[in-house]
Amino acid sequence: MRARKLAGGLISAALLTGTVALTVNTALAEEGAPPLTKEEMKKASKIYFDRCAGCHGMLRKGATGPALTPERLKKRGLNIEAIKAFIYNGTPGGMPDWGKQGVLTKDEIDLMARFLLNPPPNPPLLSWEQIKESWKVYVPVEKRPKKAANPNWQNFFGVILRDVGKVAIIDGTTKKLLNIVDTGFAVHILRTSASGRYMYSIGRDGKATVIDMWMKKPDKVAEIKVCYDARSIDTSKYHGYEDKYAVVGCYWPPSFVILDGKNLKPITRHATSDYYYDTKDFVREARVASIVASHYDPLWILNIKEAGQVWLVDYENVDKGTVSVDMIDAERYLHDGGWDLSKRYFLVAANMRNKIVVVDTKEKKLAAIVEVGTKPHPGRGANIDHPKYGPIWCTGHIGEKRIACIGTDPKKHKKYAWKVAKWIEMPGEGGGNLFIKTHPNSKYLIADRPLNPDKNLQRSIFVFDKYSFKLVKTLKVPDDIPGRAVHPEFNKGGSEFWISVWARKDQPSAILVYDANTLKLKKVIKGDWVRTPTGKFNVYNTMKDIY
């Protein structure tokens, strides 16, 4: 494990500041590259940023998806027509079928094929002054409620309306819409503060917002744009630091930014560009994937995607101008993950290496690396206290139809610890799973398949008995509701689970509420406002890391 002390706040400025506008790489004049006008380059760059950069990287070096540099595409013998076919149809490995879905037109697909055969433009950077200028406080801390206006607030749900850049707040008890909050574009996740009072969103445009759940009409009280692309946010949860700080993990520029937890005032940021853990070669685009907050120390666990490192970021002395980082070499292309039942071990997918990395946050060391299936995508995973295997943590896969359940108790159930104790097979062919979920009060494990090429499987939810692992029922999206079933989330008591039906932006869709005991559809939340619903986050379950 390597240690680094980041004093003074604004280090690595050369890696983080610079021009704001997209600039065209001079290499675009390379012989044989399809011609693009400046306007076409601008439009294609935006489409790539919105739809492609998360998996393939801003510099097109590859991560969850393969590298898309002109050299690699040509080496594989891919011409414009072949690239257009990939973009239109998608791939069994999890790439969306942008053309079939109607997200991209044929002209836009042709534009993107030509764009990919040109060298990538220089991506934009962001100055500290620009970050500070973006900071807005709508309701100062002293003017916020002293107590919760609604007794049901811990059972509120934040629902991401992905492509319209909003988050809906719904009362999970009454099922009433309380507010629709403007947030960043394509919000990736929602997280809560330690107290649960504040819910934080982070958009793919790098805009963070904080929503006060104690207000009569929960609403945004502050916002800030800390980078151009981001996927993760969390808060300080260790005793004595509750709700004090927030941290954002950026994809571009690769960095993390520490903020005041209540008003999002920017405090400091640090670049995460580093060296691959194995080859020791420098990687400029070493992005922050997922973040969790330790229960043992004032630490955040940051997963540095391309470098294959887990960073333990100590926030104890942030107010003194010092941030300390311990670096654990792990495995490349770290993505998403969650806690085991004890909240001691953090399990994160190294999805392009088909492994799960286990970090012991009490001892601050790598505990294990577990071989799983093709391209694991746990979300936060699902925890089960099993009578035979003991505590297990389960992940689904984008690349295959199996669910892997890993033993997480090396003391009382050593035989099953840090290995796949049980494989669960989903029906049909191919993968496409994004999220699985359970609840301590439920006897079921719930899984989706939104990225499967089969439309029938895309619109199905698979319910397994979490002790026998047998498929109990396959739930289908009602025929009159367009879209794919995605992201199960339980209510506070575990008596219901909610499913988003993810359709195109121009198609009103729905949120399905199922009885978690009878598995009957008990409520359909509909309305013209229900556009591209994806992730849903119950306040209590998110606050307590229940999944």
Side-chain angles (χ1 to χ4, degrees):
M1 184 165 66
R2 292 182 291 142
R4 179 188 293 177
K5 183 170 285 188
L6 308 178
L10 300 180
I11 70 155
S12 303
L15 294 176
L16 291 169
T17 60
T19 181
V20 176
L22 276 172
T23 58
V24 179
N25 194 318
T26 55
L28 289 180
E30 177 183 317
E31 186 178 352
L36 288 174
T37 66
K38 287 184 179 180
E39 284 305 310
E40 285 179 323
M41 174 60 71
K42 184 177 179 181
K43 181 178 180 180
S45 296
K46 186 178 188 307
I47 293 172
Y48 182 85
F49 175 79
D50 290 344
R51 303 293 178 186
C52 315
C55 289
H56 299 284
M58 284 289 285
L59 303 178
R60 296 200 229 148
K61 302 284 189 181
T64 303
L68 295 178
T69 59
E71 298 78 17
R72 187 177 188 278
L73 295 173
K74 290 173 184 176
K75 188 176 181 179
R76 292 185 61 194
L78 297 177
N79 58 20
I80 287 180
E81 293 306 314
I83 296 170
K84 285 163 63 173
F86 275 113
I87 298 172
Y88 185 87
N89 295 303
T91 68
M95 177 177 162
D97 48 350
W98 299 118
K100 282 185 177 179
Q101 289 186 51
V103 175
L104 296 180
T105 66
K106 288 186 177 181
D107 286 344
E108 287 172 332
I109 290 171
D110 177 77
L111 172 63
M112 294 309 297
R114 290 185 286 125
F115 172 78
L116 293 177
L117 288 172
N118 279 278
N122 295 321
L125 298 172
L126 197 65
S127 71
W128 188 245
E129 284 303 313
Q130 288 173 300
I131 291 174
K132 290 194 292 184
E133 287 171 6
S134 75
W135 175 48
K136 296 180 177 67
V137 177
Y138 298 103
V139 182
V141 174
E142 63 273 13
K143 293 186 178 180
R144 297 175 194 170
K146 305 302 180 187
K147 61 180 181 178
N150 190 320
N152 300 333
W153 71 274
Q154 287 191 345
N155 198 34
F156 287 176
F157 282 74
V159 180
I160 295 170
L161 306 177
R162 185 190 184 280
D163 288 356
V164 296
K166 299 177 187 295
V167 168
I169 307 298
I170 301 175
D171 186 326
T173 304
T174 66
K175 313 301 185 290
K176 290 182 179 179
L177 174 68
L178 301 177
N179 198 12
I180 297 177
V181 182
D182 288 326
T183 56
F185 169 74
V187 166
H188 190 62
I189 60 166
L190 302 175
R191 291 292 184 263
T192 63
S193 60
S195 68
R197 172 178 183 168
Y198 295 113
M199 180 168 274
Y200 300 79
S201 76
I202 185 64
R204 283 174 169 82
D205 58 358
K207 180 186 282 188
T209 60
V210 56
I211 301 166
D212 188 351
M213 294 298 185
W214 282 13
M215 296 169 73
K216 186 175 182 181
K217 182 181 179 181
D219 208 346
K220 175 173 60 179
V221 292
E223 70 177 23
I224 189 170
K225 183 180 177 71
V226 297
C227 45
Y228 284 110
D229 191 2
R231 291 295 187 280
S232 52
I233 191 167
D234 213 327
T235 62
S236 53
K237 294 181 178 178
Y238 186 65
H239 179 67
Y241 295 86
E242 296 91 341
D243 300 18
K244 185 173 183 179
Y245 299 120
V247 60
V248 175
C250 293
Y251 265 27
W252 192 267
S255 56
F256 66 89
V257 184
I258 298 176
L259 311 167
D260 182 282
K262 294 184 177 68
N263 64 20
L264 302 185
K265 181 180 179 180
I267 297 172
T268 187
R269 69 170 172 170
H270 299 283
T272 53
S273 298
D274 207 280
Y275 296 87
Y276 290 116
Y277 87 96
D278 46 3
T279 67
K280 309 305 178 188
D281 293 322
F282 182 72
V283 53
R284 171 71 178 93
E285 194 171 4
R287 303 175 290 178
V288 182
S290 49
I291 302 175
V292 293
S294 172
H295 298 268
Y296 286 94
D297 296 280
L299 291 175
W300 289 305
I301 295 90
L302 274 64
N303 299 286
I304 313 302
K305 191 180 190 81
E306 284 78 7
Q309 299 169 348
V310 177
W311 286 17
L312 308 181
V313 178
D314 189 330
Y315 54 77
E316 184 176 14
N317 294 311
V318 166
D319 56 353
K320 299 176 183 176
T322 299
V323 178
S324 298
V325 178
D326 288 330
M327 301 174 178
I328 300 173
D329 288 343
E331 184 55 281
R332 284 208 215 177
Y333 309 115
L334 299 173
H335 194 63
D336 52 354
W339 292 107
D340 78 309
L341 272 174
S342 73
K343 307 295 189 293
R344 172 174 176 171
Y345 299 101
F346 176 66
L347 295 93
V348 58
N351 54 16
M352 292 308 289
R353 297 286 174 90
N354 304 330
K355 294 174 182 176
I356 296 293
V357 170
V358 185
V359 177
D360 182 341
T361 62
K362 183 177 181 181
E363 297 295 330
K364 302 181 183 65
K365 66 180 184 180
L366 182 70
I369 296 180
V370 184
E371 193 88 30
V372 289
T374 305
K375 203 176 289 187
H377 191 283
R380 288 172 291 172
N383 283 300
I384 299 169
D385 192 1
H386 195 270
K388 176 180 178 180
Y389 304 115
I392 55 175
W393 177 91
C394 303
T395 178
H397 298 82
I398 294 174
E400 64 173 79
K401 63 182 180 180
R402 295 185 300 170
I403 294 170
C405 294
I406 298 168
T408 62
D409 181 3
K411 288 189 176 181
K412 296 182 180 179
H413 297 83
K414 189 175 181 180
K415 179 180 177 181
Y416 303 109
W418 312 139
K419 63 184 69 172
V420 177
K422 181 67 179 178
W423 289 100
I424 307 171
E425 191 162 301
M426 290 196 275
E429 296 303 319
N433 169 257
L434 282 181
F435 302 103
I436 62 173
K437 198 68 65 70
T438 188
H439 189 282
N441 296 335
S442 174
K443 57 186 176 182
Y444 297 122
L445 174 69
I446 317 294
D448 64 16
R449 299 280 282 285
L451 295 188
N452 192 285
D454 184 328
K455 288 188 177 180
N456 182 52
L457 295 179
Q458 292 172 6
R459 292 172 57 80
S460 300
I461 290 292
F462 304 92
V463 182
F464 297 89
D465 183 297
K466 73 179 185 182
Y467 301 117
S468 71
F469 305 112
K470 292 180 179 179
L471 180 66
V472 175
K473 193 170 185 179
T474 300
L475 305 172
K476 302 288 187 179
V477 174
D479 291 340
D480 62 335
I481 301 173
R484 310 172 183 217
V486 68
H487 199 269
E489 174 75 345
F490 282 83
N491 66 347
K492 177 182 177 180
S495 62
E496 298 173 349
F497 59 87
W498 295 26
I499 302 293
S500 295
V501 187
W502 180 15
R504 298 199 317 253
K505 187 167 65 172
D506 60 351
Q507 294 177 315
S509 189
I511 298 157
L512 310 178
V513 181
Y514 288 91
D515 186 297
N517 295 309
T518 68
L519 302 180
K520 291 182 178 180
L521 180 61
K522 61 185 292 187
K523 177 74 175 177
V524 178
I525 300 173
K526 299 178 74 173
D528 190 64
W529 60 271
V530 187
R531 306 274 179 152
T532 62
T534 51
K536 301 161 302 305
F537 297 84
N538 177 268
V539 168
Y540 184 82
N541 292 341
T542 306
M543 174 176 65
K544 297 293 185 179
D545 289 313
I546 295 172
Y547 32 79

